Structures are given as C-alpha cells and as structure tokens.
Amino acid sequence: MTDDSQSDGAAGDERLFAATSGTLTELQYDPTSDKELATVIVQAVADQTGTETYRESPLHDYIDIDAIETLLFGTQPDQSIGSASQKITFRYRNIIVTVRADGVIQLSGTNSSRARKN
C-alpha cells in the first residue's frame, strides 16, 4: 500500500504505509447493514491485536469515520458503491487499515507492530 498524495507532507506520511508486513486479514463490510463501520473496524483490530474492544483507543481519535462512510459509500444506505480503486488507508493501533469503496476492509501489520508482538 502506498500513499499517493502529492502534498509536501506526503514524504513524512510515506513511512506510515511503506513498512507493512503483509495483509493480516480481510473482511467484507456491508454499508446497508445495521453494523456501523467503526464497530467493524474496532472489532477486527481487537481480534488481530488480542485486545478487548472496550480497551481500544477511540477510533474517532484517529480518523473521521463518518467522512469515510460518506466518501466511499455515499449518504444513503442504498446508494451504489464506488469502484474498489477508491480507498482510504490509515493507521490505527499499529495496524494499517484500508477501507475500499466495495466494502472490503483490509488489515495489514507494520514492521513495528510485528516487532512488538515478538
């Protein structure tokens, strides 16, 4: 995964996403379901890190999850979903989270998260 932004700050962000240790898990999110995107992400990260969800740092401290939902899935639950090439990637609890417009959520490890586990 790479950060394709062209801003001056992109060089600093490049380190955030460059050192991944591969995809840990991939799951399908349905924006028309009753489950909130934030809940799905927090639970998936908790499962991967072996922590309990109530001990997780609030996801909204890392990213505006409502903005992700609007950008990728639209404002109405039954709106058509964009192509898989539209995605947002961010770091949450030493896990790289990628949310694609087709509803796929990928969790990837970082070399630093791997070092902490071993």
Side-chain angles (χ1 to χ4, degrees), residues 36-93:
E36 293 182 7
L37 179 60
T39 303
V40 172
I41 292 171
V42 169
Q43 184 62 55
V45 170
D47 291 347
Q48 285 301 312
T49 59
T51 60
E52 297 181 36
T53 56
Y54 68 85
R55 293 188 180 192
E56 294 290 314
S57 301
L59 184 59
H60 61 79
D61 286 352
Y62 291 83
I63 194 146
D64 185 343
I65 202 71
D66 293 331
I68 289 176
E69 288 185 287
T70 300
L71 289 169
L72 295 180
F73 308 120
T75 56
Q76 301 296 321
D78 59 350
Q79 272 186 311
S80 63
I81 297 173
S83 71
S85 64
Q86 297 172 340
K87 62 184 177 182
I88 295 176
T89 300
F90 59 96
R91 187 176 190 158
Y92 176 59
R93 302 208 30 98

Side-chain angles (χ1 to χ4, degrees), residues 20-40:
T20 62
S21 63
T23 301
L24 300 172
T25 192
E26 188 173 285
L27 55 134
Q28 184 68 43
Y29 169 69
D30 179 4
T32 62
S33 75
D34 291 337
K35 280 194 167 185
E36 293 182 7
L37 179 60
T39 303
V40 172

